[in-house]
Amino acid sequence: MTGAASVGSGLERVERVAGELRAQDLDMLLVSAPLSLRYLLGFTGTHGVALVAAEGASAGASHRFLTDFRYETQAGEQIPGEFEREIVTGSLLEAAAGSLRPASGRLGFEEASLTVADHARLRGKLASAWELLPCGAIIERLRMVKDAGEIERMRSAAHLADDALLGVLEGGLADRTEREVAFELELRMRRLGAEAVSFPPIVAAGAHAALPHAEPRAVEIPADVLVTIDWGAVHEGYCSDCTRTYATGEGISREARDIYALVQTAQAEGLAAVRAGPTGREVDAVARAVIERAGQGEHFGHGLGHGVGLEVHEAPRLSRTAGDQQLLAGSVVTVEPGVYLPDRLGVRIEDLAVVTADGPELLTGLPKALTVIS
């Protein structure tokens, strides 16, 4: 990934983290996950550790950033001047532990990214008077709500991905292999400026589409079947995610048309329910009820959607098992119901949308009427 991510207004994100630290009575937060470092500081390297100090922490505390010689120049360009920078030979975690001042305090860490071995190493080098406390949700909560710059990057990623698929569809789908279509789609996204794909594209025809995460095969796509394509692009660090299902001929079965219409209705009702206030579980239930009333509930096994940002799967979740967290304005989520009939067919329709107080703002823009691409 190239280019620094937006870091808000100056050190706004760092200041918000510092406020969370004060609220939790923590003196420092150790940040080691590469995506957290990118989000917080704009650092795009793969090896670094930041120590964020709470305002009003004990005398002698300060923000610090540690990395190795490979990223010395990059850190100088990307890390805000308010952070003391240190080039380390050896373990960054051990160096971070040794740099903590004063002699005691409460240090938070991201438990989702710190291995058991690294936790033990950190604890072993940390002065005994320092407490080590898990609090990774601090940055995760901040990342759930996107600022205008983040949304614009995701909009650009979605438009790029849409254009790439339109180019692929001009060459048709029938008589090409799933793998060939997936490869061309990825190549077109990169040629249009994507720095990466959000995930390997899914192209699945006929009965193969009954697998929600089917891997493209070296098998030709036949005429008169449904083909599900799930793809996304990364633009300046931010992901898009979209799914469309096409027909390869007018001769698709009545069942295929009915299932497509059902999923299309469920997707429309799910999107209409997206707004600030409801929980992800409540939005999931709206779309799920449409499919269950049609007697196909057992064939919709995954959640309705998920958050997207620096990662293609992040908080919040729209599912039956989502917690009581309300959707927040500024979150970006997918809405992707699907029905999968084993050994027969599968249909999924997915859009990427910004949550607002008044409803969803779509970032993906391709039509959703059943379209024949022969």
Side-chain angles (χ1 to χ4, degrees), residues 1 20 50 87-88 157 175 178 206 233 261 316 327 352 354 363-364 371:
M1 300 178 185
E20 289 283 345
I87 304 304
V88 173
D175 300 326
E178 294 173 348
L327 294 183
L352 188 63
V354 183
L363 300 181
T364 42
T371 303

Side-chain angles (χ1 to χ4, degrees), residues 81 100 142 234 257 280 364:
L100 287 174
L142 293 182
V234 180
R257 292 180 185 275
T364 42

Side-chain angles (χ1 to χ4, degrees), residues 115-188:
T115 67
V116 173
D118 283 341
H119 181 278
R121 183 177 297 112
L122 180 63
R123 178 68 270 176
K125 292 294 181 179
L126 203 59
S128 60
W130 275 87
E131 294 182 70
L132 193 54
L133 303 164
C135 58
I138 288 178
I139 294 179
E140 181 178 304
R141 284 196 300 271
L142 293 182
R143 283 177 53 184
M144 275 200 298
V145 177
K146 274 62 178 178
D147 63 30
E150 292 176 290
I151 291 171
E152 190 55 38
R153 286 165 171 79
M154 296 179 73
R155 190 189 314 278
S156 295
H159 288 177
L160 183 159
D162 285 353
D163 289 346
L165 183 63
L166 288 174
V168 171
L169 296 180
E170 288 178 0
L173 292 173
D175 300 326
R176 306 173 68 187
T177 69
E178 294 173 348
R179 194 172 295 167
E180 177 187 350
V181 173
F183 179 78
E184 183 185 346
L185 180 53
E186 179 170 349
L187 189 61
R188 282 182 178 271

